[in-house]
Amino acid sequence: MARNIQAIRGMHDVLPDSTPHWQYVERIVKEVMSCYGYKEIRLPIVEKTELFKRSIGEVTDIVEKEMYTFDDRNGGSLTLRPEGTAGCLRACLEHGLLHNQIQRLWYYGPMFRHERPQKGRYRQFIQLGVETYGMPGPDIDIEILLLTVRLWRRLGILDHLELQLNSLGTTEERLVYRQQLIEFFSSYPEQLDEDSLRRLKTNPLRILDSKNPKMQALISQAPILMDFLGEQSQAHFAQLTQQLDHLGIRYTLNPRLVRGLDYYSKTVFEWVTDKLGAQGTVCAGGRYDSLIEQLGGKPNHAIGFAMGMERLLSLLEESSQLPEPQLVDAYLICVGENAELAGFELAEKFRKELPDLKLQMHCGGGSFKSQFKKADKSGAKYALVLGEDEIIAHKISIKPLRSDHEQQTVSHEEAVDLLKKVLN
Ligand code: HAM
C-alpha cells in the first residue's frame, strides 16, 4: 500500500473543528481594525530576497538561518515572506502611497520561518500586521497601543497580557551604545556563550535578548540603552509613557527589549503572557522610521506591529475565552417518497427568507430515528420534520432538540416566523 504523505514539519492544517474559532477571532480583529479607520492591504507571499536582507538585516536570525529562499526559474532569488513589514512598505513605496499621505494599514496571512518547531513556534504561521506611515508620534504610537488593548478587551484576555516597552533611540544613538556594549561584554569573554561571542562581532544588542540563564547575571549589569538616548528620543518616550499613564494603560519598562529585527528605532513594545510557556510573545512591534529611506523612500515615519494568530488562539483557549460555535441552527429531516423533493423546496424557502439561519438538510435517507440521531449530533437547536402527514397537510413539524418544549406542527409561513423569533 502507498505510504501516506504528511504535512511539512512546523506547518499545520486547521481542521474543521477549529476553523470556527479562527473565524471568530478574525471577525473581531476586522471589526477592531475598521473601528479605528484602518484599511486592509493584501500583499504577495513571495518577494525578492533582497527586500528582506535590506530591511530585516543581514545579521539577524531570520535572514541568516530562517528564510525559505529559492531560485526563480529565470534566475532571481525569491523568498517566502518571513514577516509583513518589508513587503507592506515595498508596496506603499512602489504605488506612491506615502507621497504626502498618511496611511493606517493592516494585513493578515501566512509567514514562513525555518525555525525549530515547538509549541507556539511554527514554520508557517499566521500574522495579523498593522503598519502606519507619515506620523512622527508619539500620538500614533499611543493609538496603535490603544487598538491592541481594545482587541484584548474584546477577546477577554487583557488580564493575561503584559505590555513591555522600551526605546531604541535613533541609529546614531544606538551606534554609541553599541560601542559601549562591545566594550562591556568584551571585558567578560569567559562568561559569554558561543552565540553571544558571535553576536559580539555582528549584532551585540542581541546579546541582551539571550535566553541562556547563565548569561542573565552579566546581562543585568550591562549598560542600558535608555541612558544613551538624546533629548528628542527621551522626550518622545517620556510623552508616550505620560499619556499611557493618563489613559490608564499599564506597561512595564523593559530596558533589555531589543527585538530580533534590525529596522527599529525609538518606541518598541511586546505584549507577553505567562500562560504559553517559552513562546509567550503574542504581539510585537515598534517604530521604524529609517527603513523607509533604506528601501529608497524619502524621509518619513512608520510604526507598526504584528501578532501571531496561533499564539493568540492558544491564549484564548488557555483562558477559556473561545465561545462554542453554533454551526447548525436547524436540521431538516425528511422521510417518505415525496419528502426529499419537498424538503429541498422548503429548505430553499427558509434560506431565502432567513438568510442568517444555518440550516442543514439531511441527505442519505434512513428512518425517522436515524435522522433524529444525526440531527442531535449536528448540534442543531431544532429539528424540522417533513413526513408524509406534513406534506399532505402542507405543514412542517418543529421539534426543539435542546429543551423540553413540545413539538409543534405549523404552516410554512408560521415556521418562518417561529424560527425568526427563536433565533434572535
Ligand atoms: P516578530 O516579533 O518577528 O515581528 O513577530 C511578531 C509576532 O509573530 C511574534 O510576537 C509572534 O507572536 C509571531 N511569530 C513570530 N514568529 C513565529 C513563529 N515561528 N511561529 C508562530 N508565531 C510567530 C515582526 O514580524 C514584525 N514584522 C512586527 C512589526 C510590524 N513591526 C513593525 N511592524
Side-chain angles (χ1 to χ4, degrees):
M1 210 164 61
R3 210 160 42 90
N4 285 347
I5 298 172
Q6 310 224 313
I8 297 164
R9 206 160 100 84
M11 303 198 180
H12 295 283
D13 304 303
V14 178
L15 299 179
D17 276 353
S18 304
T19 44
H21 296 146
W22 281 80
Q23 287 163 350
Y24 160 74
V25 181
E26 286 159 359
R27 180 174 60 77
I28 304 272
V29 161
K30 284 179 190 162
E31 282 174 15
V32 170
M33 290 304 147
S34 73
C35 89
Y36 281 78
Y38 283 54
K39 291 189 262 183
E40 184 184 2
I41 184 164
R42 297 189 181 186
L43 303 158
I45 284 171
V46 185
E47 297 272 1
K48 291 183 181 153
T49 304
E50 178 64 18
L51 175 71
F52 301 115
K53 285 194 174 166
R54 236 207 274 174
S55 52
I56 298 169
E58 296 263 10
V59 286
T60 53
D61 284 353
I62 297 181
V63 171
E64 272 184 344
K65 43 187 185 189
E66 294 171 1
M67 294 208 299
Y68 281 92
T69 297
F70 56 94
D71 289 337
D72 197 2
R73 283 179 186 276
N74 53 11
S77 175
L78 303 181
T79 293
L80 292 183
R81 61 181 185 190
E83 56 106 54
T85 307
C88 186
L89 182 52
R90 193 266 314 136
C92 288
L93 290 170
E94 189 171 335
H95 300 286
L97 301 189
L98 303 190
H99 187 65
N100 290 332
Q101 289 173 70
I102 274 172
Q103 296 291 349
R104 289 174 164 91
L105 306 174
W106 66 273
Y107 51 84
Y108 182 88
M111 307 292 160
F112 303 84
R113 295 184 194 176
H114 196 277
E115 298 197 72
R116 200 165 43 79
Q118 63 179 86
K119 187 178 180 302
R121 191 162 71 192
Y122 310 108
R123 290 184 172 170
Q124 176 177 331
F125 56 97
I126 305 243
Q127 271 188 352
L128 166 84
V130 160
E131 313 292 353
T132 71
Y133 303 105
M135 294 162 279
D139 49 4
I140 186 67
D141 310 25
I142 290 164
E143 177 177 290
I144 64 168
L145 289 171
L146 283 171
L147 182 151
T148 50
V149 171
R150 167 91 26 230
L151 186 59
W152 311 144
R153 281 219 172 94
R154 286 279 313 267
L155 294 170
I157 49 172
L158 182 58
D159 289 346
H160 301 302
L161 284 161
E162 178 188 80
L163 173 60
Q164 300 197 347
L165 267 189
N166 193 20
S167 173
L168 296 184
T170 61
T171 316
E172 296 74 33
E173 289 155 5
R174 240 178 4 261
L175 267 178
V176 179
Y177 176 65
R178 188 176 188 272
Q179 203 46 44
Q180 292 289 315
L181 262 193
I182 294 176
E183 279 171 31
F184 172 79
F185 284 119
S186 303
S187 320
Y188 305 95
E190 70 291 347
Q191 293 189 44
L192 297 178
D193 59 16
E194 203 182 310
D195 230 18
S196 302
L197 279 170
R198 194 172 50 84
R199 282 176 172 157
L200 191 58
K201 297 207 182 73
T202 55
N203 198 348
L205 265 74
R206 292 283 291 153
I207 299 178
L208 302 174
D209 219 18
S210 165
K211 302 281 179 292
N212 183 350
K214 290 190 193 138
M215 294 273 309
Q216 299 310 311
L218 183 65
I219 289 174
S220 68
Q221 289 163 33
I224 283 177
L225 176 50
M226 202 60 93
D227 296 336
F228 292 79
L229 297 191
E231 225 172 274
Q232 222 204 358
S233 298
Q234 295 234 8
H236 187 112
F237 197 62
Q239 234 177 315
L240 171 69
T241 49
Q242 278 159 19
Q243 294 196 27
L244 289 177
D245 290 339
H246 182 82
L247 291 161
I249 308 292
R250 274 183 286 156
Y251 56 86
T252 308
L253 296 180
N254 179 357
R256 317 268 169 229
L257 183 66
V258 289
R259 309 278 301 119
L261 306 93
D262 273 357
Y263 47 60
Y264 293 105
S265 54
K266 294 191 179 156
T267 314
V268 287
F269 64 91
E270 291 191 353
W271 282 98
V272 295
T273 179
D274 56 11
K275 286 181 95 75
L276 296 181
Q279 306 305 321
T281 306
V282 173
C283 168
R287 182 161 282 286
Y288 54 97
D289 297 346
S290 47
L291 182 60
I292 304 180
E293 279 172 89
Q294 250 164 270
L295 291 187
K298 296 210 180 90
N300 205 325
H301 304 281
I303 183 166
F305 65 80
M307 61 182 77
M309 296 300 291
E310 289 80 3
R311 294 187 193 176
L312 181 58
L313 266 108
S314 297
L315 178 57
L316 287 167
E317 199 177 341
E318 285 294 316
S319 14
S320 311
Q321 292 294 341
L322 282 174
E324 256 330 297
Q326 184 70 41
L327 298 181
V328 180
D329 296 316
Y331 191 98
L332 182 56
I333 287 171
C334 11
V335 179
E337 224 173 88
N338 306 313
E340 198 172 277
L341 204 52
F344 277 126
E345 281 173 346
L346 203 50
E348 288 309 310
K349 175 184 168 69
F350 288 151
R351 288 180 184 127
K352 182 171 161 228
E353 297 192 22
L354 302 165
D356 291 333
L357 175 73
K358 295 175 199 122
L359 172 62
Q360 194 161 89
M361 182 169 150
H362 179 84
C363 288
S367 64
F368 275 118
K369 194 173 165 203
S370 72
Q371 292 197 32
F372 262 110
K373 260 196 197 152
K374 296 257 166 55
D376 195 44
K377 216 171 152 202
S378 76
K381 290 188 216 157
Y382 297 92
L384 309 178
V385 187
L386 208 53
E388 292 298 331
D389 293 349
E390 281 88 358
I391 289 174
I392 290 164
H394 291 289
K395 294 201 163 178
I396 185 154
S397 299
I398 302 185
K399 183 173 167 52
L401 296 173
R402 317 281 154 202
S403 73
D404 299 333
H405 291 125
E406 287 289 295
Q407 174 169 322
Q408 298 179 56
T409 301
V410 295
S411 74
H412 299 168
E413 276 63 37
E414 284 169 323
V416 169
D417 288 341
L418 216 119
L419 288 169
K420 208 183 277 174
K421 246 185 259 158
V422 291
L423 291 172
N424 272 334

